Amino acid sequence: MPRPVLIAIDASPATSALLDLAQRYCRPGEHELHVLLAIDTTFAVHDHPMAYTEEEQQEYPAACEEQHLADQAVATAVRALRKAGFSSHGCMVAAEPVEAIVGKARALECELIIMGHRHLSRLGRLLDPSISAKVIDRVQVPVLVGAAG
């Protein structure tokens, strides 16, 4: 049975580097790759991919666009991993990223988490603590961290 690996992405160009990293360290048939993208709850219109009503698009245009981009990023990542021969699944969740990543990794009983890391100054880390560092502190599985730009 394939062992689950969680790949936490955002909708940035760094996603392709994380997918490349996953393909370097994981093997089709041995690993099942799960792509997760967490968006801010203020930008969540629906809890799963579906068409937006005209009223939703008029009232929440930024949220509709953010969620659409997130859904699209997950779908693109899953397609790329499947094309590379992996069993792959994806989901977008409206939640705080650390909670979403830790919760999903535990629910799937992942053996590895792959995620990005932004290079912040010391002041930047004080003002906006690292998501990857918080995840590492809360899980009992290895976390492979790639540069996110």
Side-chain angles (χ1 to χ4, degrees):
M1 178 179 200
R3 298 181 314 259
V5 172
L6 181 63
I7 307 168
I9 67 168
D10 57 18
S12 76
T15 294
S16 62
L18 293 177
L19 299 180
D20 290 343
L21 195 60
Q23 291 177 60
R24 233 176 313 166
Y25 289 94
C26 300
R27 301 286 174 257
E30 284 184 42
H31 298 100
E32 182 176 67
L33 305 182
H34 295 264
V35 177
L36 172 71
L37 193 154
I39 63 169
D40 187 310
T41 55
T42 59
F43 285 102
V45 182
H46 302 134
D47 59 359
H48 58 282
M50 65 186 314
Y52 305 107
T53 66
E54 194 172 314
E55 182 179 305
E56 288 170 335
Q57 289 177 342
Q58 289 176 353
E59 194 164 339
Y60 311 109
C64 289
E65 180 64 18
E66 180 80 10
Q67 188 164 350
H68 173 72
L69 290 173
D71 289 335
Q72 195 172 39
V74 170
T76 299
V78 168
R79 268 194 311 276
L81 293 169
R82 286 180 179 166
K83 185 176 178 183
F86 288 94
S87 172
S88 182
H89 310 279
C91 69
M92 184 281 306
V93 295
E96 194 274 323
V98 174
E99 296 301 322
I101 295 165
V102 170
K104 188 71 165 178
R106 287 184 180 149
L108 294 170
E109 297 181 2
C110 287
E111 75 167 27
L112 175 68
I113 299 169
I114 299 173
M115 60 187 304
H117 171 71
R118 296 175 293 144
H119 297 283
L120 301 172
S121 67
R122 184 172 283 157
L123 178 61
R125 283 191 300 273
L126 284 172
L127 298 174
D128 184 17
S130 167
I131 291 170
S132 57
K134 288 179 182 179
V135 168
I136 290 167
D137 287 342
R138 296 203 32 212
V139 297
Q140 301 299 314
V141 298
V143 179
L144 180 57
V145 180

